[in-house]
Amino acid sequence: NSFDGGMVSGEKIEGRWGTYFAVPLNTIMNANEKNTIMTRTKATELITDEEGRVTGVKAVKYDGTEVEITANMGVILATGGYAYNREMVIETNDYWDKDDLKPDILSTNRPLSMGEGIIMAQQVGAATKGMDFTQLMPLGWVDTGHLAGGTGENVIYISPAGTSNAGKRYVDESAERDVLCQGAFDYGGEKGLFVEISNAGNRTKENNVEGRLYICTLKEAAEMLELDEETIKNTIIEYDDAVRTDTLHELDVPKSAATALIGNYNEDGSFNEEGLLAVRYLAPSTHHTMGGLVVDTSRRVLDKDGKPIEGLYAAGEVTAGFFAGNRLGGNAVAEIIVSGRIAGESVTKNK
Ligand SMILES: Cc1cc2nc3c(=O)[nH]c(=O)nc-3n(C[C@H](O)[C@H](O)[C@H](O)COP(=O)(O)OP(=O)(O)OC[C@H]3O[C@@H](n4cnc5c(N)ncnc54)[C@H](O)[C@@H]3O)c2cc1C
């Protein structure tokens, strides 16, 4: 968990990006003493022989040194998706309205998710599919686009000031990511900005993060959001009544499930004006790319005629087809481990 994220240039990236890195790192290093990991080295091109078989990779080290890596058995591309590459996302997009998915959308990804593996494979004739749909993450911080985290169960999303729905709910907060993002584009503010409100629980103003998260009373929230206090209060009370009476499905904007109230209440049932709420500023950002290289079940990369490109394999988010149109959260890590193992077995058995 302690690995920093970083770029080839040596620049550190905020966040614990290396969480998943420790396991494969140890596995690779322990598997064979000859194994080498070249960090801060960028693959630029696949090397092919006269028959078109992939026999290696050209790369450039952080100090500009060019290297060529020979692959006797094959090359496995595991270069991830292209969610950070907004140009590629928009160029291939055929799902989101172009007025919603715009070049200034932020990303939950590091600047390394540029789709370079896809481009390198395309240069040797690889086919792609499913690149028309990029998964957007509704829970991105409005200032950086990084993952804010959380779930939709015990929160409400309301439209910000300046919109026709200001201060009111507009979506089932437990819905799928694409539904939540479309709701944010339709009922949110600039770039799909929306406001999440939940009960502060044991959080205090000490937890405030400028521009992102505020622990505050209803009055303070209304002032900060420039929204009508009564409108927000009515939204919360109507929602909380539905939670108490198990009638969430009867709300004007129905909700699938919730187990906790948003507001704080006095013993006589009246709204506790001094009770604390947690207010977060969120917006959709590009998150995961379901499309990519076409592979067969052995993880061989296929060309446009459906034939394997000899010596070329791919695993993980660089490939297409596993998640269809909308990946369910949590499944990508399982997929990358399984597909990586299959690709590894295939390349060693020359399948
Ligand atoms: C913030 C965030 C949270 C997520 N949380 C979850 C979760 O909880 N559960 C889940 O299942 N999924 C989650 N996902 C999705 C999941 O993490 C990714 O789908 C998965 O990490 C993809 O794995 P990968 O190995 O294919 O690619 P990556 O993890 O993206 O790794 C690709 C690697 O290739 C390197 N690379 C790229 N181009 C080159 C090049 N030209 N030369 C050399 N190296 C290159 C990159 O630097 C990177 O290290 C999350 C994604 C994000 C962005």
Side-chain angles (χ1 to χ4, degrees), residues 17 20 41-43 78-80 108-110 112-113 116 120 147 287-288 315-317 327 330-333 336:
W17 296 97
Y20 305 128
T41 305
K42 182 183 164 99
T79 44
T108 60
N109 281 244
R110 290 170 300 165
L112 294 159
S113 304
E116 285 161 0
M120 284 187 275
L147 188 63
H287 185 58
H288 186 274
E317 201 177 323
R327 177 181 73 97
N331 286 356
V333 170
I336 64 173

Side-chain angles (χ1 to χ4, degrees), residues 25-328:
L25 175 73
N26 292 334
T27 311
I28 290 164
M29 297 313 282
N30 292 336
N32 187 327
E33 61 181 20
K34 287 188 186 153
N35 282 349
T36 307
I37 294 180
M38 299 173 76
T39 55
R40 298 174 67 189
T41 305
K42 182 183 164 99
T44 52
E45 197 182 328
L46 295 168
I47 304 168
T48 51
D49 66 14
E50 281 160 12
E51 270 100 51
R53 181 187 170 85
V54 175
T55 56
V57 174
K58 288 187 185 173
V60 183
K61 290 173 98 170
Y62 65 95
D63 60 0
T65 312
E66 294 183 4
V67 283
E68 282 194 14
I69 299 121
T70 305
N72 295 330
M73 304 181 96
V75 171
I76 302 173
L77 287 170
T79 44
Y82 54 94
Y84 195 85
N85 187 341
R86 267 54 62 88
E87 208 177 304
M88 195 184 243
V89 163
I90 286 169
E91 206 177 280
T92 52
N93 170 53
D94 195 26
Y95 179 84
W96 301 100
D97 192 297
K98 65 176 173 18
D99 292 330
D100 294 335
L101 182 61
K102 293 192 282 202
D104 60 0
I105 191 166
L106 297 170
S107 180
T108 60
N109 281 244
R110 290 170 300 165
L112 294 159
S113 304
M114 295 297 286
E116 285 161 0
I118 295 175
I119 296 166
M120 284 187 275
Q122 282 177 317
Q123 284 163 352
V124 298
T128 58
K129 68 175 178 184
M131 289 176 67
D132 48 340
F133 185 90
T134 292
Q135 180 165 71
L136 304 183
M137 162 54 71
L139 304 179
W141 289 119
V142 73
D143 54 349
T144 60
H146 289 177
L147 188 63
T151 65
E153 195 181 8
N154 293 320
V155 299
I156 55 169
Y157 302 151
I158 62 169
S159 303
T163 62
S164 57
N165 195 55
K168 297 181 189 158
R169 292 178 61 240
Y170 55 86
V171 75
D172 175 352
E173 295 84 354
S174 300
E176 298 85 350
R177 290 173 177 175
D178 56 342
V179 174
L180 297 177
C181 290
Q182 194 57 58
F185 289 132
D186 292 344
Y187 296 95
E190 188 69 12
K191 293 198 211 177
L193 161 74
F194 64 98
V195 178
E196 179 197 87
I197 302 183
S198 60
N199 193 289
N202 53 15
R203 287 174 288 181
T204 67
K205 288 178 195 289
E206 301 280 301
N207 297 103
N208 285 5
V209 180
E210 189 61 27
R212 293 183 178 180
L213 165 69
Y214 296 92
I215 308 299
C216 51
T217 63
L218 173 69
K219 188 173 191 316
E220 288 166 341
E223 275 171 18
M224 176 180 73
L225 296 166
E226 297 179 5
L227 287 171
D228 178 54
E229 190 178 332
E230 279 305 301
T231 306
I232 311 179
K233 188 168 160 182
N234 289 340
T235 301
I236 294 174
I237 290 175
E238 188 190 11
Y239 175 91
D240 284 346
D241 282 347
V243 175
R244 283 198 196 94
T245 54
D246 198 15
T247 53
L248 285 161
H249 56 285
E250 289 174 19
L251 287 168
D252 286 345
V253 179
K255 170 124 177 178
S256 324
T259 53
L261 304 180
I262 304 297
N264 301 278
Y265 296 88
N266 299 312
E267 273 179 22
D268 65 1
S270 60
F271 194 88
N272 178 355
E273 307 284 345
E274 299 308 313
L276 292 177
L277 304 169
V279 176
R280 302 203 299 172
Y281 289 89
L282 304 171
S285 46
T286 63
H287 185 58
H288 186 274
T289 44
M290 268 75 64
L293 300 175
V294 181
V295 289
D296 65 10
T297 51
S298 300
R299 293 275 149 182
R300 296 180 299 181
V301 177
L302 305 182
D303 68 14
K304 288 175 186 138
D305 298 322
K307 294 204 187 86
I309 297 172
E310 293 299 317
L312 188 60
Y313 302 77
E317 201 177 323
V318 71
T319 63
F322 197 81
F323 298 112
N326 201 8
R327 177 181 73 97
L328 292 179

